[in-house]
Amino acid sequence: MDTQELIKQQVTGNPVVLYMKGTPKFPQCGFSNLATQILKACNVEYLAIDVLADQNIREGIKVYANWRRFHSLY
């Protein structure tokens, strides 16, 4: 599957998607840490995507969002 199609499927197929560095249990940056804390405090179920684990997703989310950073919450 094309990376852009995969990202579109992830974003449209889930109520909330967090593209982050690391995982919810082990966030690897301040944004990721804060975002997971806020979502947890609000009891929000979400799909977490570790952009450090997949170069295609890491670069593809920048294109999808038209934003130079890959940290994104949908």
Side-chain angles (χ1 to χ4, degrees), residues 3-56:
T3 301
Q4 292 301 304
E5 185 60 35
L6 174 61
I7 292 169
K8 182 179 179 181
Q9 185 179 31
Q10 291 169 337
V11 170
T12 59
N14 295 280
V16 180
V17 181
L18 175 61
Y19 292 92
M20 61 182 291
K21 286 182 180 177
T23 65
K25 289 187 179 187
F26 298 104
Q28 299 294 308
C29 74
F31 170 84
S32 298
N33 185 40
L34 184 58
T36 56
Q37 287 181 28
I38 291 169
L39 292 167
K40 183 177 179 181
C42 294
N43 293 316
V44 174
E45 291 187 29
Y46 61 98
L47 174 63
I49 307 293
D50 181 1
V51 299
L52 298 176
D54 188 330
Q55 177 70 26
N56 292 330

